[in-house]
Amino acid sequence: MRQRHKPWADTFLQENTHLVIPQAQQHKGKWKELFGNDNPVHVEIGTGKGQFLVGMAQQHPDINYIGIELAKSIVVTAAQKVLDAQHKNILLLNENAADFREIFADGEIACIYLNFSDPWPKNRHAKRRLTYQSFLEQYQEVLANTGEVIFKTDNRGLFEYSLVSFSQFGMRLNEVNLDLHAIEDPLNVMTEYEEKFSAKGQPIYRCRAFFPGT
C-alpha cells in the first residue's frame, strides 16, 4: 500500500528522539537502561500505526514495548498515538527489521510479535517473509529463555507457510488458532488491520511458537 508523504516527518522525528530512537544500534544490549527499569522487553516488527502497541502497553504497564517500523510516514503516526496515550513503556524505531541482530543482543528480548506481516505471496519473494528461516535464526538469538514468537495474520497461505517454517526450524507451538475471535480472548489487542478484516468476517489466525532449549 502506497503511503502518503508527510513533509513534516523529519522535523517531527528530530523533535521526538526520546520516543523514536535514532541510531538504534548504539543501544544494543542496553534497552532496559533506556527504559530506566528491569522489566522484560517485547518487540513488534512492523508496528504500523501503533494501535497494538498502545493497547498492549496499557494492558501490561510492567512490560517494555519496542515497535519497529520501516516506513517513516507510518512511524510518525504511531509516535503521535503513543504521545497522545502518554505511555512511558513504549519506544519506536524507524529501522529495517532485516538488521535485527544489529539492534538487539543475545537473549535481550522476551517476546516478538509479528502482526499482519506482508505475505509476499510469490515464491521468489519467500526470503522476505518474516517467518522465513533467516529471520527465525535472528529471533532465536535475541530471544531470552522461554521467549516466544506470537504471529497473527488474516492470510491463510502465509499462516500455513509459517507453521511449516516453524516446524522445519525445530520450533514448537504453544497455540495454533484458526479463528482467534471465535474464542473471544479478553487479552487480545487488535491492530488496525485486524479490526478491518474481522469486521468483514475474515477469520484471524494466531500461533505462538518457541525455540526449545532457549
Side-chain angles (χ1 to χ4, degrees), residues 118-167:
D118 192 327
W120 295 105
K122 296 182 179 179
N123 289 336
R124 69 175 183 271
H125 293 152
K127 292 182 178 181
R128 300 183 184 183
R129 298 170 190 159
L130 293 181
T131 53
Y132 185 74
Q133 176 181 338
S134 59
F135 284 103
L136 300 184
E137 291 172 353
Q138 296 189 55
Y139 305 157
Q140 185 176 30
E141 289 190 22
V142 303
L143 277 173
N145 292 339
T146 73
E148 63 179 355
V149 176
I150 303 178
F151 173 59
K152 286 199 293 188
T153 183
D154 67 304
N155 189 293
R156 181 66 178 253
L158 179 61
F159 191 69
E160 292 174 348
Y161 166 86
S162 300
L163 292 179
V164 172
S165 183
F166 293 155
S167 177

Side-chain angles (χ1 to χ4, degrees), residues 1-11 71-74 76-77:
M1 180 183 297
R2 186 175 182 181
Q3 303 301 325
R4 183 178 301 174
H5 176 63
K6 296 177 180 176
W8 47 269
D10 286 330
T11 300
K72 186 184 301 181
S73 61
I74 299 179
V76 295
T77 299

Side-chain angles (χ1 to χ4, degrees), residues 37-192:
N37 58 57
D38 197 40
N39 293 336
V41 178
H42 290 197
V43 176
E44 182 187 21
I45 302 178
T47 200
K49 297 179 181 179
Q51 179 170 300
F52 176 80
L53 275 189
V54 169
M56 292 295 286
Q58 181 175 353
Q59 191 177 99
H60 304 283
D62 56 343
I63 294 176
N64 298 320
Y65 291 93
I66 297 176
I68 301 177
E69 177 57 55
L70 178 60
K72 186 184 301 181
S73 61
I74 299 179
V75 78
V76 295
T77 299
Q80 288 178 310
K81 191 167 293 184
V82 174
L83 290 172
D84 290 342
Q86 298 184 341
H87 293 316
K88 304 301 182 183
N89 58 330
I90 301 178
L91 295 176
L92 299 173
L93 308 180
N94 185 204
E95 299 281 350
N96 190 332
D99 302 324
F100 211 69
R101 284 176 292 195
E102 298 298 320
I103 299 173
F104 302 108
D106 290 2
E108 189 170 19
I109 305 304
C111 184
I112 294 171
Y113 302 97
L114 307 176
N115 291 322
F116 300 88
S117 310
D118 192 327
W120 295 105
K122 296 182 179 179
N123 289 336
R124 69 175 183 271
H125 293 152
K127 292 182 178 181
R128 300 183 184 183
R129 298 170 190 159
L130 293 181
T131 53
Y132 185 74
Q133 176 181 338
S134 59
F135 284 103
L136 300 184
E137 291 172 353
Q138 296 189 55
Y139 305 157
Q140 185 176 30
E141 289 190 22
V142 303
L143 277 173
N145 292 339
T146 73
E148 63 179 355
V149 176
I150 303 178
F151 173 59
K152 286 199 293 188
T153 183
D154 67 304
N155 189 293
R156 181 66 178 253
L158 179 61
F159 191 69
E160 292 174 348
Y161 166 86
S162 300
L163 292 179
V164 172
S165 183
F166 293 155
S167 177
Q168 290 179 341
F169 197 79
M171 299 178 71
R172 296 181 182 175
L173 300 173
N174 283 327
E175 175 194 22
V176 176
N177 197 309
L178 301 180
D179 192 353
L180 174 60
H181 292 179
I183 67 172
E184 298 182 353
D185 181 355
L187 298 180
N188 180 53
V189 175
M190 289 197 287
T191 73
E192 293 88 352

